[in-house]
Amino acid sequence: MKSNWKKIGIAIGVVTLLVIAGILMANSFTQEEPYKQVELPFNNSVVNNSMPTYYDTALSIALDQAGLTGITVVINPLSDQAKSQFDGELKAHIRSFNGIYYLFIAELDREDAIEVLSHETIHLTQYQDGDISYDQNTGIVYWKGEEFNLENVTYEKRPWEEDAFQKQGQLIAGVTNILY
C-alpha cells in the first residue's frame, strides 16, 4: 500500500513539473524582444496618451526616418466606435487638426507597432505634402484634388492607402534596423 502512495506521489510530482515547465516555455515564446536603447531624435514632439508606452519611441524614429521635422503628434487609444465604422480591421488612423496630428491606435505588439506607425507616418507625410486632406464636417477625403466619400470606396481601393502601402516597406526596414 505504501509503494502505491509513493508511486502516486511521484506521478503527481512529475506532472506538476511538466506543467510548470510548459508554462515557463510558453511564456518564453510569447515574450517579445524589447527595442534596443536608442537616443531619440528631438526634431518633433510626440505625446503618448496610449498603452503600450513604446509607441512614442517607434513613431519618433519613423518621423525622423521620413525626414519630418517640427511635427506634433498626439497618440491616443483607438476607440471601439472608430473600429466599428471601418470596413475591415482598423489598427490606426491619423487626422490633422489646427496643425497638430492626432494618431489613434489599437494595442499592438512591438513589430506590428513599427509596421502600423510607419504606415501612418506615410499618411502624415501625405498631409504635410498637401496630397490628402479630410473634411471633418462632411467626411470627404481629398486626394490630390480628387474628392472621395469614404462610404463609396473600399479601404483597398483608396489611392492614399495604395500609396502608403507602396512606400511603407523602406520606412519599416529603417525603423526596424534602428530599434532592433
Side-chain angles (χ1 to χ4, degrees):
M1 192 68 121
K2 273 189 177 181
S3 66
N4 284 343
W5 284 111
K6 187 175 182 180
K7 289 178 186 177
I8 291 172
I10 291 172
I12 290 172
V14 169
V15 168
T16 302
L17 286 174
L18 289 172
V19 168
I20 291 171
I23 290 170
L24 291 174
M25 286 178 54
N27 284 339
S28 70
F29 288 124
T30 58
Q31 284 186 2
E32 58 183 333
E33 181 181 353
Y35 296 150
K36 67 182 178 185
Q37 286 193 346
V38 296
E39 189 167 325
L40 292 177
F42 290 101
N43 305 331
N44 301 292
S45 175
V46 178
V47 178
N48 188 0
N49 297 322
S50 186
M51 290 297 283
T53 57
Y54 50 75
Y55 289 159
D56 54 343
T57 300
L59 183 60
S60 293
I61 299 297
L63 293 170
D64 189 59
Q65 289 293 293
L68 296 166
T69 58
I71 304 293
T72 299
V73 181
V74 178
I75 304 170
N76 290 307
L78 185 63
S79 71
D80 289 335
Q81 180 186 9
K83 290 178 195 176
S84 71
Q85 295 174 355
F86 188 68
D87 58 350
E89 182 187 357
L90 182 63
K91 294 181 181 177
H93 70 94
I94 192 163
R95 294 286 185 254
S96 174
F97 185 72
N98 289 338
I100 297 174
Y101 292 93
Y102 295 89
L103 189 144
F104 302 90
I105 188 166
E107 191 170 325
L108 304 169
D109 65 29
R110 291 177 199 278
E111 286 184 34
D112 286 343
I114 290 172
E115 181 179 331
V116 169
L117 291 168
S118 294
H119 182 90
E120 296 306 316
T121 298
I122 300 297
H123 288 316
L124 194 151
T125 302
Q126 294 167 342
Y127 277 111
Q128 284 292 109
D129 292 345
D131 290 340
I132 192 171
S133 63
Y134 176 72
D135 186 326
Q136 302 270 45
N137 298 320
T138 63
I140 299 294
V141 173
Y142 296 91
W143 172 251
K144 297 186 176 185
E146 191 175 346
E147 191 175 293
F148 291 87
N149 183 328
L150 293 178
E151 293 178 6
N152 298 335
V153 184
T154 63
Y155 178 79
E156 298 81 21
K157 299 287 186 192
R158 296 172 183 168
W160 58 92
E161 294 297 346
E162 291 173 348
D163 183 62
F165 280 111
Q166 287 173 0
K167 294 177 178 174
Q168 75 183 28
Q170 185 175 358
L171 188 55
I172 291 168
V175 174
T176 300
N177 187 48
I178 289 169
L179 292 177
Y180 287 110

